[in-house]
Structures are given as C-alpha cells and as structure tokens.
Amino acid sequence: MKVDIQEMDEEEIIEEIQTLCEKREFAKLKNLLSEMNPADIASVLDEVSANQRLLMFRLLAKEEAAETFVELDSDNQESLIHAFSDSELKEVLDELYLDDAVDVIEEMPATVVKRILRNADSETRESINTLLKYPEDSAGSIMTPEFVDLKKDMSVEAAFKRIRRTGIDKETIYTCYVCDSSRKLIGVTTVKELLLHDYDDVISDFMETNIISLNTLDDQELATQLFDKYNFLALPVVDMEGRLVGIITVDDAIDVIQEENTEDIQKMNAMLPTEKTYLKTSVFETWKSRFPWLLLLMISATFTGSIITGFEDKLAAMTVLTAFIPMLMDTGGNSGGQASVTVIRAMSLGEVTFRDFFKVIWKEIRVGLVCGLSLAAANFIKIWLVDHLIMHNDDITLIVDLAICLTLVVEIVFAKFIGCTLPMIAKKVGFDPAVMSSPFITTVVDAVSLLVYFGIATALIPQLH
C-alpha cells in the first residue's frame, strides 16, 4: 500500500532519507521508497543533494523510477540524465509513455536531446519526432499514440484478447477506439461495455458512433473544455483525413489547465509568462518577464500626467478638485478590471464567444449604470457629510459634489464597456485576451476618467468657465 507523503511530516522523511543515505543502509532506504507514491518521491528528490538523488533513483524499480522521473522538474531531470549511463537512460526511456518522453525532451537543451534520441529505439525515436513536429499548444503536441484500437467486426472475446496482448504498453485501456481498415475512427467503446456484453457479441452492435474528437491542429485549450463539458477520461485526436493518430488523457488535460491558468494570471498582472516555478526562476529571468510591461505601462501613464497638465488652470482655480482624482481613477480602473477578468474567464471556459459580443456589452453597461449610481449616491452623502460638514471644507459645494458623482457614473459605465470589449476583440483578431487585462485597461480608463472629470466640472462649476 502506497503512503501519501502529505499525511506525514515531509521534513522528517527527508531527514530520515538523508540519514539512511549517510549510514549506507540501502535496504531500509529502498523499503521506505517502495512505500511512497512516485509523486511524493519526486517531491523528496527535489530537496536532497544531487548524489543522494541519483542514489535514491537507482534504488527504485523500473516502472516506479519512470513514473518518478516524469514528476521531477526539468532541472533535476537534466541532472539525472547527465549522471545516467546510456543503459540506465535507455531503461528509463523504455518505461516512459511517449507523450511524457516528448514533454521531457521539450525542456532539455539540444545536447541532452541528442543523447536521449540516440538511446531510444528507432520506433520510439520516429514517434517522438512526429509528435515534436506538431505546433506548440496544439492537441497534437500533447497527445500520445499509445491507445487500444479495435475492429468493428471483432467479438467481445477477441477484443479482450487484443487488450490483454497490447494493453500493457498503453497509457489507458479503459476507453477503446474502433477503427476501419484505413485507421479512420468510426466508433468508441469502454471496458465496462465489453464486460456487460456476452463474449459472442460483435462490437459494431453496441459501440458509440457519435464520437467527439479533436484535430491534431486544434488548440489544446479546446481539449480542456471538452474534458470539462463531457467528463471524459480520454479524448481521441484525428488527422485531416479522420484517421486516429492519438489520444489525450485526463492527466494531460489537467497539466494544460494548470499551465494555461498560470500563464493567464501572469499576463493579467502585466508579466510575460515563464515556464519555471517561482523559486527556480532566476532574478534576471523574473526581471525580463516583468520589466517590458512595467516600462510600457509607465510610458502610457505619462499621458495621464499630460492630461492633468493640460487642465492646470482649472485645478488652480479650484484646487479641491485635485483631492478626488485618485479616488476617481482607482474606482474606474477597478471597475474595468472586474469586467475584463469576468469576461476573460468566461471566454476561457467557453461560456462566452464573439457571437455574444453585444449581449455582453448590454449586460456590462447595465451593471456599470447600477454600480455607478449606487457608488455615486454613497459618495455624494460621504462628501457632503464628511468633507463639507465635518471637515468644514467650504470649497466643496453641492455643484462640486454633483460633478464628482456624475463623473463616477460616466466613468464606471465606460470602464465596464472597455473592460468587456477589449478582451473579446483581442480574441477575435488572434491575440491572447489575458493581455487586455487589468493593468492595460486601468491605464486607458485613467485617461478617460480625467477627461470626463474635467469636462463635467468645467460644464457645471461657474468658477471654471
């Protein structure tokens, strides 16, 4: 029975492992590792020295070693590959599923890739090269060609014989795909269906023919949406002629979801995406991911300063207006950010498409109007009671209070409009909608808020005419 390391004190386990390594009590160490899940072993290997990592890895059984290797981060994988002999590397490669082998290769430098491919057998090398040719982030790039395929005229008994004969090297045997003589996908069934039918029944009599599949060039995010919608365990991938070339399993879909969510979060917070974990990313790499956006936003923010400079005479005539600029800009930016994040998330889940463009606009305008009026009413009372009556600021008149609150209503409606439309337009023209997120939208809304503020104030307040 495998032990989940999360139910134990990880520091104590690491300390125990290091002690066993130092005392060279390898039998006890091997027994301890055999009681752990490969994912938990990988977590421990991340924390020990390179020599201890190699020693522990060599104590693992072949299959367990391969599963642990997949769970390691790319730096530790590369370290182990350098330490492996050619025979050890070949043993690991032979146990890896092809999609996992491709994932490893994509993270390695060219010299390591050459050594990996040199130690792979010709069939594996050809399959890996085929998968590497698919575009990045496509369904083809994350699929595995290791699946169980059956023929429609097979009996259930014959199907079980084929599964037993070929299933040992397949990533999953639960879902089985039915192909014709040219390998075109014509049906799908499951081991459950096979078990519930008599041995003499023919697969074509009960297979599912309404098949949901992906093309090799479809975006990998589409795969995650289909897994979420239909609760699949595996999803078939076909080429342009409808031939079955691979499957995507649910564990691969979860990896994609995690990667895409991380990437979107980074983009939405004005950072270029990085593939390494936070602690594994160097200071220079972190600087590279953050500096370009910070520079762009800083330069764009200078336009806000130019607008304020253009209305210096108005501010000089009524300096009290200056005190409310931060509040107006922050509220507008926050309102636009709320709309953009909501719409971006809805698009990523497939809840909203460009066909819903005007529905989204109409909804956000109404939301903006309700939010704007509510905030304006609360702000009107606060300014009059606190700033005018309690703080005795005589420069705040009813007209000034009204100008500030009208600005709130207009800017919030505009911010909601910008926040919902820019991500959808970006998606339509081929950009990542996450780029059109809070920092960028805030900069646009800040400039518009100032123009609206000074425009309304000039129109309502006699001293500014």
Side-chain angles (χ1 to χ4, degrees), residues 298-312 329 447 450:
M298 181 187 72
I299 293 173
S300 63
T302 60
F303 293 109
T304 305
S306 300
I307 294 172
I308 295 175
T309 302
F311 287 91
E312 277 184 344
M329 292 173 65
L450 288 173

Side-chain angles (χ1 to χ4, degrees), residues 117-217:
L117 294 177
R118 188 172 63 248
N119 283 279
D121 59 63
S122 58
E123 185 179 348
T124 300
R125 186 162 54 246
E126 183 179 350
S127 298
I128 289 174
N129 286 329
T130 299
L131 293 176
L132 288 172
K133 290 177 182 177
Y134 290 109
E136 186 179 4
D137 297 335
S138 67
S141 69
I142 61 170
M143 72 180 184
T144 176
E146 297 165 317
F147 54 87
V148 174
D149 61 318
L150 306 173
K151 302 299 181 184
K152 67 176 183 179
D153 55 356
M154 275 185 174
S155 65
V156 171
E157 183 178 14
F160 275 126
K161 287 181 179 178
R162 178 167 176 77
I163 293 171
R164 292 190 190 100
R165 188 174 68 252
T166 64
I168 190 170
D169 296 323
K170 309 305 181 185
E171 187 152 348
T172 178
I173 62 171
Y174 180 75
T175 307
C176 304
Y177 301 93
V178 185
C179 302
D180 62 15
S181 57
S182 59
R183 295 193 61 78
K184 285 190 177 180
L185 181 62
I186 58 174
V188 63
T189 189
T190 64
V191 170
K192 176 183 177 181
E193 285 291 330
L194 294 172
L195 285 170
L196 294 176
H197 283 82
D198 294 332
Y199 270 10
D200 294 333
D201 289 349
V202 179
I203 290 177
S204 59
D205 294 338
F206 58 85
M207 70 181 186
E208 176 65 58
T209 57
N210 182 23
I211 311 164
I212 296 169
S213 63
L214 281 172
N215 185 274
T216 52
L217 300 181

